[in-house]
Amino acid sequence: MYAAHEKVYPREVSGRFATLRWVAVFVLLGLFYGLPWVQWDGRQAVLFDLPERKFYIFALTFFPQDFYLLTWLLIIAALTLFFVTALGGRLWCGYACPQTVWTEVFVWMERIAEGNWTHRIKLDRGGLTAQKLRRKVLKQVMWISFSLFTGFAFVGFFVPVRNLLPSLLAGGVGFWAWFWILFYGFATYGNAGFMREQVCKYMCPYARFQSAMFDRDTLLISYDAARGDCIDCMICVQACPTGIDIRKGLQYECIACAACIDACDPVMDKIGHPRGLVRYSTQAEMDGRKSRFLRPRVIMYGALLSLLIGGFAVALSLRVPVTVDVLRDRNTLYRELPDGSVEDVYSIRIINKDQSPHDFRVTTTGLAGASVDSDMTLHPVPAEAVRTVVVRVRVPPDHAHGGQDFQVLVQAADAPRIAVRSRARFFAD
Amino acid sequence: MNSVDGRERLRDWSPVRQTIMVVAWCSFVAASVETMGFFAYLDPATVGCTQLPPEAPAIRHAAYAIGFFFFWMSTVVAASLTAYLLCSSRRTGH
């Protein structure tokens, strides 16, 4: 029942959609390999500095406290995928998924080393010859070096990429940089070199549930069986990277890469039939109706998406670039001073997320008669730094009783907008 | 066999291989999310001390990686047990 996995040898095709796929490969991989090298304000523009717990994305700096924004962004990404799926079907799978994009490059290298698909089949079936060995070694050298380069680019998002190569050669970066380069490189090699369409068929959750976003007006690749002019040339089947026959109808293995369209069109040209026996179409069109673009599903996804993106933009613009944590001194609960007033000691951790330094003033609200005493009246915190300051909050005798909740207000002296409150509790007996 | 005209392209992973890959992959995704969420709220360099130690970046580097593999192992165990129980119940008919 289960045949062992057999390798797919996709026949190479050229055409409109193959070109489009290569454009996508260049744009997406260009971003992946190029983005770490872009500079911004004298530092790497996109850097996820895990050891320093700071994420830089162009003008913005994110701290762990901004984690909710990342979650929000992931939800937006997921909903965008749903929205695109409802409109255009599996456009993601066919053109943008890293699995597709890297597989495209690996197949291209395979073709350089081992020749076209018929050559590759013959090569794999034939015995071991010097030529076979040479071709296989060449392929492996290309694959492995490209994988290592990919792992390097990946780590370049986390470790300043301009110093990465020199420090790798000098042994300056630790074990973990090497480890992740090899880890990511190995994953690329395995996924794009060997597993390929198996990843889509067996491991990808999106491939399984994407049909839930489909309706009769969703773009899909279909074979117009009603035309009846298929000459059974098999080129569409040979071109399919997942090894299916599009003429059998919509199948979940189909990643909508449109290689079969590129395969079929020239054949139709040659026999003098109109193009489009295999084409992008919709179920509605196949049923002889007109496709609708705007429909409840699309409007709903679109509205929800606009709401989330709008909210995200607002949250980002209202983000106050400072966070404080107030901790009571654990050693002494409270202290009575000679004049009868009561003093509590607090450590205040000020996280300045702004890209410029600020001097912070600490005051209290909601605590009658309270005064704040510290070694300094203004607490300087450098840009993107964390400082802990110790303050003594004093309350005169007539107001000092029991435990009282109050708020600590930390405000930048030079920029009143940069202010944040934190709750604390004052104890007097 | 894969014939040149592509007519016989029967290929499927065996159920065991499918299960192994699905377990490894899904638990990898879960562990990645867990690692991000966990370390967003906990700075491994400040565990057990109030002052940030000078070797904080190195501690974090190691802690993130070890934390990730710890999460991955635990999600692999959970996913494997789930797969095992589902598969064996199907076999024995319970």
Side-chain angles (χ1 to χ4, degrees):
Chain A
M1 192 176 164
Y2 293 96
H5 163 58
E6 283 185 28
K7 200 171 157 186
V8 181
Y9 296 89
R11 179 187 177 129
E12 38 289 310
V13 287
S14 56
R16 287 173 293 164
F17 299 108
T19 309
L20 196 59
R21 231 175 12 259
W22 274 107
V23 170
V25 166
F26 273 103
V27 170
L28 295 170
L29 289 189
L31 281 175
F32 181 81
Y33 295 107
L35 211 50
W37 297 91
V38 178
Q39 292 286 104
W40 182 277
D41 256 359
R43 57 160 170 82
Q44 191 168 326
V46 178
L47 177 67
F48 305 114
D49 194 343
L50 292 174
E52 293 296 335
R53 296 172 72 77
K54 285 176 201 164
F55 285 9
Y56 301 97
I57 299 169
F58 294 94
L60 299 169
T61 308
F62 294 97
F63 282 69
Q65 288 76 12
D66 300 316
F67 185 69
Y68 73 98
L69 286 174
L70 181 67
T71 317
W72 199 332
L73 210 55
L74 288 177
I75 295 172
I76 289 178
L79 205 65
T80 306
L81 184 62
F82 294 176
F83 182 63
V84 171
T85 307
L87 282 177
R90 295 177 71 169
L91 287 175
W92 165 261
C93 302
Y95 300 93
C97 177
Q99 181 64 29
T100 304
V101 170
W102 268 310
T103 299
E104 194 86 9
V105 179
F106 271 65
V107 169
W108 174 72
M109 289 190 281
E110 188 168 64
R111 202 167 292 155
I112 291 176
E114 299 183 354
N116 71 20
W117 69 298
T118 44
H119 287 130
R120 293 207 297 279
I121 293 171
K122 278 188 204 122
L123 196 69
D124 281 356
R125 285 188 186 165
L128 188 66
T129 60
Q131 200 216 26
K132 178 171 180 174
L133 193 68
R134 194 174 56 78
R135 284 171 179 270
K136 291 282 175 192
V137 168
L138 176 64
K139 180 177 85 173
Q140 291 301 329
V141 168
M142 286 162 83
W143 278 7
I144 291 170
S145 27
F146 187 67
S147 299
L148 287 175
F149 177 60
T150 306
F152 175 82
F154 174 73
V155 171
F157 280 94
F158 300 92
V159 177
V161 75
R162 277 157 202 263
N163 306 329
L164 187 54
L165 192 61
S167 53
L168 277 177
L169 296 176
V173 285
F175 164 77
W176 291 111
W178 274 109
F179 176 82
W180 290 117
I181 288 176
L182 293 176
F183 186 91
Y184 199 84
F186 176 74
T188 309
Y189 177 83
N191 279 352
F194 290 98
M195 300 211 287
R196 297 189 179 170
E197 81 285 352
Q198 316 285 320
V199 174
C200 315
K201 276 172 75 175
Y202 300 118
M203 289 161 69
C204 179
Y206 172 71
R208 300 284 170 92
F209 67 62
Q210 43 80 26
S211 61
M213 271 84 74
F214 269 59
D215 57 28
R216 304 185 71 76
D217 298 302
T218 299
L219 208 58
L220 46 84
I221 289 172
S222 45
Y223 164 70
D224 196 344
R227 276 178 46 163
D229 45 6
C230 174
I231 57 163
D232 209 20
C233 68
M234 299 303 290
I235 297 177
C236 63
V237 179
Q238 292 157 0
C240 180
T242 70
I244 58 168
D245 185 345
I246 191 68
R247 299 171 301 170
K248 290 178 183 160
L250 187 62
Q251 293 148 76
Y252 86 95
E253 292 96 332
C254 173
I255 58 166
C257 67
C260 48
I261 303 182
D262 282 337
C264 187
D265 280 351
V267 176
M268 288 294 114
D269 291 349
K270 236 174 266 171
I271 63 169
H273 287 242
R275 287 180 167 200
L277 178 61
V278 184
R279 66 171 183 273
Y280 271 112
S281 173
T282 66
Q283 189 58 48
E285 203 187 306
M286 285 287 153
D287 296 344
R289 292 187 289 109
K290 223 177 122 47
S291 291
R292 290 176 306 152
F293 180 74
L294 280 182
R295 43 200 201 269
R297 179 192 296 267
V298 170
I299 294 168
M300 205 185 67
Y301 281 146
L304 201 57
L305 195 58
S306 324
L307 212 66
L308 278 172
I309 293 175
F312 183 78
V314 170
L316 206 58
S317 60
L318 293 182
R319 194 170 70 111
V320 176
V322 59
T323 309
V324 295
D325 293 321
V326 179
L327 279 175
R328 276 178 47 83
D329 183 17
R330 283 179 218 162
N331 301 323
T332 49
L333 189 58
Y334 64 94
R335 204 149 62 104
E336 258 191 77
L337 301 177
D339 65 347
S341 58
V342 176
E343 180 183 273
D344 281 17
V345 181
Y346 301 86
S347 312
I348 301 177
R349 205 158 70 101
I350 305 175
I351 304 158
N352 179 13
K353 298 188 275 192
D354 208 13
Q355 296 193 359
S356 46
H358 291 291
D359 293 338
F360 290 96
R361 180 176 285 124
V362 178
T363 50
T364 63
T365 54
L367 196 58
S371 62
V372 176
D373 179 48
S374 183
D375 302 338
M376 292 178 283
T377 44
L378 289 177
H379 304 279
V381 183
E384 296 164 2
V386 183
R387 290 285 179 277
T388 302
V389 300
V390 175
V391 299
R392 295 173 288 278
V393 175
R394 286 190 194 130
V395 170
D398 46 329
H399 290 299
H401 52 81
Q404 303 176 63
D405 287 322
F406 71 105
Q407 287 192 319
V408 174
L409 176 68
V410 176
Q411 190 168 29
D414 54 329
R417 196 187 73 82
I418 302 176
V420 67
R421 288 163 194 278
S422 180
R423 272 186 51 188
R425 196 164 168 78
F426 186 88
F427 287 100
D429 48 50
Chain B
M1 276 310 273
N2 198 332
S3 61
V4 176
D5 64 32
R7 263 173 221 271
E8 308 153 47
R9 282 182 166 179
L10 279 173
R11 79 200 68 80
D12 270 305
W13 278 357
S14 70
V16 173
R17 189 166 168 191
Q18 263 186 61
T19 309
I20 292 172
M21 291 313 293
V22 168
V23 162
W25 166 241
C26 295
S27 48
F28 174 86
V29 174
S32 308
V33 175
E34 281 174 24
T35 310
M36 278 196 290
F38 183 76
F39 288 114
Y41 291 101
L42 183 119
D43 181 354
T46 59
V47 172
C49 51
T50 47
Q51 283 301 310
L52 205 58
E55 67 276 20
I59 294 176
R60 288 174 184 146
H61 247 305
Y64 294 151
I66 293 164
F68 169 71
F69 283 104
F70 173 77
F71 281 128
W72 197 6
M73 283 307 107
S74 69
T75 47
V76 160
V77 168
S80 312
L81 277 175
T82 308
Y84 170 73
L85 289 176
L86 286 176
C87 293
S88 57
S89 76
R90 212 170 289 143
R91 257 198 305 279
T92 55
H94 289 294

